């Protein structure tokens, strides 16, 4: 097969006025003329930002990628894209995931790039950059920023998010003082990197490795470990080779690769957010992926990794125990890995992991004696979620996985905050908490509020978990018997919008059932009376988002972004 010509020669190898312009302006920072000799031009797509605390070391990381590219004879060009910080950005970083992906896509397509290294860390930066790159389909490697070191507080390890939830509940229940709360703040995040629990960032870094779009070891090397910089440098070297081999993203992101990611997701007890992100990435590259694939491919997967929020350790421990290669080897030895899937280093995934050792069996359990059994992401359906909903059994209370209870309904997150602390709220531990209007359209952006805090009067009684149902998402660091992503969402007229206080709800995770015990005639009367909530803003990106966002079961992408347009620039007067 004839090797396609590199894109960059259409810019830098021209001997006309435009070649002059392209080269001359690029030379202004000291690039010598011999760099324009047709060598692969590699974009370093950087999500560095001080507004994204998890990505603030990316200038250094980019230098390591740059060194690798130069060592391999490539021409590095670094560029910034919109960065999404989970902690500071309001109303939720998820609102902007699709916008950031557009920035990535258009920045790559419009510029003289032959391949790209994506630098991502904080939750949404990974799917955003991968979605954008998938719609272009050039040779691509994603380098994750790596997790922070473990939090250390009064002699114990504390984890991002997970211990924030537990400590804020302790504070509300009067078990700890405000001074202790403040002290823990300073102890939790003490190095560069992203959340070091198995939250969404660590989950997505693991998905990158399981998909084969990151270098082996990508998931868990701590951000401040020298080996993270080595990985970045090796990625820089490797991307130059990938351009020469024309190893484009679509040769890596295949259906079997997504099945590997789904199984890895169950095995690491990963974040429920990955379901939405994997679906969106797959549909950009042209792979059909839906909730049924998660149910099918995830069947029989056990959680092997004893990490918060499902367990007790943190990402640093995970790396020292062997990291994701060990988990993938366990899956492969139990017929739960598509062994031939190609990865960015040019090898099949099995070749990368088949000899991976395990150094700590309390952190990574063997498949035959797992940490928790049959605990991938479970898909639920029923009249309350005709298009599906999900639950993460590894983070739930086993006794609540089959439950029937009285609904206590909150019409919005504001309604929830107004009433949850009211000592007169008519609720007990058998009730099912229902939250509406927090889906993709309803919030907007689908807030991480599905793990509603429990009422203080029940916390004081010692209640630690209740069944909670919503169209919202949940932070990957959160836990509880929490049914999420109910589809269609309330704001789109889903059955969730029709639930009233006192209705009975049945949950049966083993049977995949979520049922509202209300007669169809009553529901249709309620449906007729229902009115769609008004959009929050009628202009700008919020309007674009509201008018075009898909439901979470379809990846919550914008409808016109699904699929790819490739690297060709359709209109070009140069
Ligand atoms: Fe960035 Fe958790 S806040 S990964």
């Amino acid at each position: 097969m004839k090797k396609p010509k590199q894109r960059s020669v259409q810019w830098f190898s021209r001997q006309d006025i435009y070649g002059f312009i392209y080269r001359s302006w690029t030379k202004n920072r000291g690039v010598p003329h011999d760099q324009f000799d047709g060598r692969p031009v590699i974009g370093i797509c950087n999500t560095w930002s001080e507004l994204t605390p998890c990505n603030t070391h990316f200038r250094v990381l980019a230098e390591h990628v740059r060194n690798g590219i130069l060592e391999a004879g490539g021409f590095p060009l670094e560029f910034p894209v919109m960065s999404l910080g989970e902690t500071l950005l309001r109303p939720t970083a998820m609102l902007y995931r699709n916008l950031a992906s557009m920035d990535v896509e258009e920045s790559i397509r419009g510029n003289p790039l032959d391949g790209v290294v994506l630098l991502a860390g904080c939750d949404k930066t990974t799917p955003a950059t991968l979605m954008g790159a998938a719609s272009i389909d050039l040779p691509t490697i994603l380098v994750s920023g790596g997790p922070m070191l473990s939090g250390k507080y009064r002699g114990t390890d504390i984890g991002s998010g997970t211990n924030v939830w537990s400590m804020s509940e302790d504070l509300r229940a009067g078990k700890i003082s405000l001074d202790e709360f403040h002290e823990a703040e300073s102890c939790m995040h003490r190095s560069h990197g992203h959340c070091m629990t198995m939250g969404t960032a660590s989950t997505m870094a693991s998905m990158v490795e399981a998909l084969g779009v990151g270098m082996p070891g990508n998931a868990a090397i701590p951000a401040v470990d020298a080996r993270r910089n080595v990985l970045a440098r090796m990625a820089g070297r490797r991307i130059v080779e990938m351009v020469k081999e024309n190893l484009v993203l679509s040769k890596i992101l295949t259906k079997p690769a997504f099945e590997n990611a789904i199984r890895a997701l169950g095995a690491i007890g990963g974040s429920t957010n990955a379901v939405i992100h994997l679906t969106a990435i797959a549909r950009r590259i042209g792979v059909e992926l839906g909730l049924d694939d998660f149910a099918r491919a995830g069947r029989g997967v056990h959680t092997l990794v004893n990490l918060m929020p499902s367990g007790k350790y943190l990402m640093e421990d995970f790396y020292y125990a062997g990291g994701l290669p060990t988990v993938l080897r366990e899956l492969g030895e139990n017929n739960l890995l598509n062994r031939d899937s190609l990865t960015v280093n040019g090898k099949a995934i099995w070749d990368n992991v088949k000899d991976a050792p395990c150094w700590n069996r309390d952190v990574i359990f063997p498949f035959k004696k797992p940490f928790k059994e049959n605990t991938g992401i479970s898909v639920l359906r029923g009249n309350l979620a005709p298009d599906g909903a999900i639950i993460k059994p590894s983070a739930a209370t086993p006794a609540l996985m089959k439950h029937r209870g009285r609904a206590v309904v909150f019409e919005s997150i504001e309604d929830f905050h107004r009433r949850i602390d009211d000592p007169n709220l008519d609720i007990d531990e058998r009730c099912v908490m229902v939250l509406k209007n927090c889906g993709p359209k309803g919030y907007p952006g689908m807030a991480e509020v599905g793990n509603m805090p429990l009422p203080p009067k029940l916390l004081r009684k010692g209640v630690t978990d209740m069944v909670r149902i919503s169209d919202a998402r949940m932070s990957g660091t959160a836990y509880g018997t929490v049914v999420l992503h109910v589809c269609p969402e309330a704001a789109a007229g889903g059955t969730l919008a029709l639930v009233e206080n006192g209705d009975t709800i049945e949950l049966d995770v083993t049977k995949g059932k979520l049922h509202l015990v209300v007669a169809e005639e009553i529901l249709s009367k309620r449906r007729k009376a229902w009115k769609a909530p008004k959009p929050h803003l009628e202009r700008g990106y919020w309007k674009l988002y509201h008018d075009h966002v898909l439901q979470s079961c379809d990846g919550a992408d914008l409808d016109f972004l699904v699929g790819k347009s490739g690297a060709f620039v359709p209109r070009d007067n140069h």
Side-chain angles (χ1 to χ4, degrees):
M1 197 178 85
K2 203 165 158 252
K3 191 172 159 302
K5 225 175 173 190
Q6 284 168 203
R7 298 176 80 233
S8 61
V9 299
Q10 297 160 27
W11 279 261
F12 292 139
S13 297
R14 289 171 64 151
Q15 305 306 326
D16 59 6
I17 179 174
Y18 293 111
F20 177 106
I21 291 168
Y22 299 138
R23 287 185 300 272
S24 181
W25 264 261
T26 309
K27 285 176 177 177
N28 78 340
R29 62 189 168 89
V31 177
H33 187 74
D34 62 11
Q35 290 256 58
F36 302 96
D37 59 359
R39 66 187 68 191
V41 178
I42 309 296
I44 305 172
C45 174
N46 200 340
T47 54
W48 173 90
S49 168
E50 286 183 341
L51 296 172
T52 306
C54 305
N55 296 13
T56 48
H57 57 304
F58 280 16
R59 285 171 163 172
V60 174
L61 203 62
E63 283 308 306
H64 289 283
V65 175
R66 179 190 303 279
N67 289 339
I69 293 168
L70 290 169
E71 283 164 359
F75 180 177
L77 287 173
E78 183 184 345
F79 62 98
V81 288
M82 185 182 191
S83 190
L84 306 174
E86 203 61 27
T87 44
L88 301 177
L89 194 54
R90 293 181 180 181
T92 164
M94 182 62 175
L95 173 60
Y96 304 106
R97 183 199 64 176
N98 303 333
L99 180 62
S101 79
M102 290 169 80
D103 182 355
V104 172
E105 176 179 345
E106 302 304 334
S107 295
I108 297 172
R109 182 180 296 111
N111 280 296
L113 303 177
D114 302 311
V116 64
V117 176
L118 309 169
L119 299 186
C122 198
D123 294 13
K124 304 303 173 291
T125 55
T126 299
T129 51
L130 260 187
M131 287 161 70
S135 289
I136 301 281
D137 200 13
L138 286 176
T140 304
I141 299 180
L142 194 145
V143 173
S144 297
M148 285 179 249
L149 297 176
S150 302
K152 297 282 179 188
Y153 171 69
R154 297 189 174 188
T156 58
D157 283 5
I158 53 171
S160 313
T162 303
N163 286 109
V164 180
W165 309 122
S166 63
M167 283 175 161
S168 65
E169 291 202 341
D170 286 351
L171 184 71
R172 290 171 71 233
K175 291 185 194 163
I176 61 169
S177 70
L178 199 55
D179 282 348
E180 287 171 296
F181 197 62
H182 288 160
E183 186 189 336
E185 257 171 50
S186 310
C187 299
M188 191 172 280
H189 302 121
R190 60 193 186 91
S191 81
H192 283 300
H194 58 69
C195 290
M196 76 316 252
T197 42
M198 188 50 85
T200 304
S202 299
T203 299
M204 290 311 297
S206 302
M207 295 298 92
V208 163
E209 191 171 338
L211 285 167
V213 77
M215 302 291 276
N218 179 73
I221 304 172
V224 295
D225 191 308
R227 288 166 286 187
R228 175 63 60 185
N229 294 334
V230 173
L231 182 140
R233 192 158 174 157
M234 299 310 284
R237 289 184 189 172
R238 177 61 194 148
I239 189 71
V240 176
E241 298 307 312
M242 283 175 70
V243 170
K244 292 177 183 163
E245 295 164 10
N246 194 31
L247 181 48
V248 294
L249 202 47
S250 55
K251 293 181 185 171
I252 308 244
L253 292 181
T254 58
K255 183 90 180 212
F258 281 97
E259 290 171 351
N260 286 343
I262 290 169
R263 288 167 181 150
L265 178 64
I268 60 176
S271 163
T272 46
N273 284 324
V275 177
I276 301 177
H277 298 323
L278 286 174
T279 304
I281 296 164
R283 293 187 184 191
R284 288 289 185 101
I285 201 88
V287 170
E288 260 316 306
L289 197 77
L291 288 180
D292 290 338
D293 292 300
F294 284 84
R296 175 187 54 78
R299 205 164 292 137
V301 176
H302 309 311
T303 298
L304 309 182
V305 175
N306 181 8
L307 250 61
M308 291 185 201
S310 302
K312 69 173 179 182
Y313 291 104
L314 294 165
M315 287 300 285
E316 214 184 319
D317 308 302
F318 184 39
Y319 179 55
Y320 303 148
L324 197 75
T326 310
V327 174
L328 295 175
R329 176 182 54 72
E330 291 282 350
L331 291 173
E333 286 171 353
N334 290 279
N335 294 323
L336 287 167
L337 190 76
N338 297 310
R339 294 180 173 197
D340 296 336
S341 291
L342 190 58
T343 70
V344 286
N345 69 355
K347 295 183 184 168
I349 195 160
W350 183 243
D351 290 332
N352 287 337
V353 304
K354 62 178 189 277
D355 299 319
C358 181
W359 303 112
N360 188 339
R361 279 300 186 194
D362 198 36
V363 178
I364 306 174
F365 282 53
F367 192 86
K368 303 280 187 241
K369 235 177 143 200
F371 176 54
K372 293 184 183 182
E373 282 192 12
N374 292 315
T375 47
I377 302 285
S378 291
V379 177
L380 306 167
R381 289 186 197 271
N383 69 344
L384 190 46
D387 293 339
I390 61 166
I391 186 168
K392 180 175 166 183
S394 64
T397 303
L400 289 173
M401 305 269 270
K402 184 171 182 190
H403 186 79
R404 187 183 165 104
R406 168 171 65 87
V408 175
V409 178
F410 302 96
E411 294 296 327
S412 65
I413 192 65
E414 292 78 15
D415 181 35
F416 171 81
H417 287 311
R418 237 181 343 257
R419 293 164 50 217
I420 190 64
D421 291 344
D422 183 349
N424 297 319
L425 182 68
D426 182 15
I427 193 166
D428 63 48
E429 57 270 38
R430 296 278 310 158
C431 289
V432 174
M433 294 166 69
V434 176
L435 175 62
K436 301 179 183 176
N437 294 311
C438 290
K441 282 181 193 291
Y443 186 72
M446 208 180 171
E448 289 187 331
V449 293
N451 55 316
M452 291 165 262
L454 304 184
K457 65 177 182 181
L458 297 185
L459 286 173
R460 281 193 289 272
K461 266 175 67 181
V463 177
T464 54
D465 196 9
M466 289 172 67
V467 174
R468 289 159 270 182
I469 298 174
S470 74
D471 47 12
R473 295 178 299 120
M474 165 172 95
S475 162
T477 59
Y479 50 85
T481 311
V482 183
V483 175
L484 302 156
H485 310 182
V486 168
C487 278
E489 63 173 302
T495 315
L496 185 69
L498 313 179
V499 183
E500 293 186 357
N501 279 315
D503 288 349
T504 299
I505 292 176
E506 282 178 354
L507 168 70
D508 190 333
V509 177
T510 311
K511 290 193 175 145
K513 180 178 162 189
L514 184 64
H515 187 66
L516 178 64
V517 191
V518 174
E520 190 43 52
E521 315 82 82
I522 298 175
L523 285 181
S524 77
K525 260 193 210 150
R526 290 183 191 174
R527 196 166 278 119
K528 277 190 196 123
W530 176 79
K531 283 197 180 65
K534 274 189 152 176
H536 291 75
L537 274 180
E538 292 279 16
R539 69 162 296 283
Y541 175 70
W542 285 46
K543 176 165 172 54
L544 182 79
Y545 174 89
H546 181 272
D547 291 351
H548 291 279
V549 72
L550 298 169
Q551 290 294 286
S552 53
C553 55
D554 293 319
D557 202 353
L558 302 186
D559 52 13
F560 59 84
L561 290 176
V562 174
K564 60 180 171 182
S565 313
F568 179 66
V569 182
R571 192 165 172 97
D572 181 4
N573 67 355
H574 288 188

